[in-house]
């Protein structure tokens, strides 16, 4: 038996995205004073999939949609943090572009899911 959220492709892609972000952050070598920034990048990236899962477990469609909006906000936060890391040259332009492509795909899927739920 699976949890209901495991059937959502967007959840699976969001988990893959968070793993890729964490792998990227683990490769960064910087002073201790920047740990909070790196931890926040990991936290916001995992929040994308976690909010999709939590929303799927809620009672109403309205609650699910609200958690999808939160998930999208976490995705935008992650992309902003990744842009900061890119501008600091802690991650390469190529790596950022790969993550950005995944982020845009997930954002589109979240939007589609919100629209599908809201139109029912």
């Amino acid at each position: 038996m699976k949890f209901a959220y495991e059937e959502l492709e967007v959840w699976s892609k969001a988990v893959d995205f968070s793993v890729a972000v964490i792998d990227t952050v683990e490769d960064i070598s910087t002073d201790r004073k920047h740990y909070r920034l790196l931890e926040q990048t990991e936290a916001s990236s995992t929040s994308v999939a976690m909010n999709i899962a939590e929303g799927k477990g809620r009672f109403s469609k309205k609650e699910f949609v609200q958690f999808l909006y939160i998930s999208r906000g976490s995705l935008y936060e992650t992309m902003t943090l990744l842009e900061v890391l890119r501008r600091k040259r802690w991650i390469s332009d190529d790596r950022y572009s790969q993550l950005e492509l995944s982020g845009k795909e997930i954002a589109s899927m979240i939007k589609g899911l919100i629209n599908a739920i809201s139109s029912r």
Side-chain angles (χ1 to χ4, degrees):
M1 181 175 130
K2 287 187 171 187
F3 288 102
Y5 61 81
E6 292 179 287
E7 297 175 7
L8 297 172
E9 184 180 359
V10 67
W11 172 83
S12 180
K13 288 190 180 283
V15 171
D16 291 342
F17 175 75
S18 66
V19 169
V21 169
I22 291 168
D23 288 346
T24 300
V25 168
E26 285 177 346
D27 288 340
I28 295 173
S29 176
T30 186
D31 296 337
R32 180 173 167 76
K33 64 184 176 182
H34 298 294
Y35 283 166
R36 179 68 183 111
L37 182 63
L38 301 179
E39 288 172 350
Q40 185 59 32
T41 305
E42 292 175 335
S44 65
S45 72
T46 58
S47 180
V48 178
M50 290 190 305
N51 278 291
I52 293 169
E54 185 170 356
K56 185 65 176 170
R58 293 296 174 137
F59 181 71
S60 71
K61 292 177 186 176
K62 184 178 178 181
E63 284 182 293
F64 187 19
V65 168
Q66 182 60 34
F67 275 90
L68 291 172
Y69 283 127
I70 294 167
S71 177
R72 186 175 66 180
S74 294
L75 177 63
Y76 287 10
E77 177 184 359
T78 303
M79 295 313 304
T80 299
L81 287 160
L82 290 170
E83 175 65 17
V84 170
L85 300 180
R86 186 189 68 79
R87 289 186 187 190
K88 290 290 292 175
R89 300 276 179 231
W90 293 344
I91 63 173
S92 70
D93 291 342
D94 287 343
R95 186 65 182 143
Y96 176 83
S97 294
Q98 292 169 358
L99 293 168
E100 181 185 39
L101 189 62
S102 294
K104 286 179 177 179
E105 180 182 21
I106 293 165
S108 177
M109 293 175 82
I110 290 171
K111 180 181 177 183
L113 188 52
I114 289 169
N115 291 340
I117 294 168
S118 298
S119 67
R120 291 183 196 165

